[in-house]
């Protein structure tokens, strides 16, 4: 299986490192990374639950792809 994946990392540096590790595994499987959520087959939001700014930001990110996908 392959497709396009959108990725967003919020919060601590460990979340960003974890995201890079995930992307490193997805690329050999044929997934392409896209910066545009509306082009993505799947959007991964990787965040740290211990940092308040990350917790607040993740709610905005969740709303954007869901809104974009629900529009005709």
């Amino acid at each position: 299986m392959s497709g396009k994946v959108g990725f967003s990392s919020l919060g601590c540096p460990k979340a960003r490192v974890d995201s890079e590790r995930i992307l490193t595994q997805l690329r050999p499987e044929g997934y392409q990374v896209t910066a545009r959520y509306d082009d993505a087959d799947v959007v991964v939001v990787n965040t740290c639950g211990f940092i308040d700014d990350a917790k607040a930001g993740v709610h905005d990110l969740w709303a954007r792809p869901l809104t974009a996908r629900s529009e005709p």
Side-chain angles (χ1 to χ4, degrees), residues 10 45 47 52-66:
L10 303 171
V45 179
T47 186
D52 288 334
D53 289 343
K55 286 192 267 185
V58 76
H59 296 288
D60 292 336
L61 281 174
W62 281 339
R64 272 191 279 163
L66 293 174

Side-chain angles (χ1 to χ4, degrees), residues 41-59:
D41 297 308
V42 64
V43 176
V44 177
V45 179
N46 185 15
T47 186
C48 176
F50 299 105
I51 297 176
D52 288 334
D53 289 343
K55 286 192 267 185
V58 76
H59 296 288

Side-chain angles (χ1 to χ4, degrees), residues 1-71:
M1 183 175 176
S2 62
K4 292 183 181 178
V5 60
F7 229 91
S8 180
S9 293
L10 303 171
C12 66
K14 177 148 178 20
R16 287 188 287 278
V17 170
D18 290 345
S19 294
E20 285 299 319
R21 291 180 71 194
I22 294 167
L23 289 171
T24 298
Q25 293 175 355
L26 290 174
R27 285 185 182 117
E29 297 294 326
Y31 287 91
Q32 296 176 315
V33 179
T34 181
R36 295 175 43 103
Y37 292 150
D38 57 341
D39 288 341
D41 297 308
V42 64
V43 176
V44 177
V45 179
N46 185 15
T47 186
C48 176
F50 299 105
I51 297 176
D52 288 334
D53 289 343
K55 286 192 267 185
V58 76
H59 296 288
D60 292 336
L61 281 174
W62 281 339
R64 272 191 279 163
L66 293 174
T67 300
R69 289 291 186 170
S70 66
E71 293 174 359

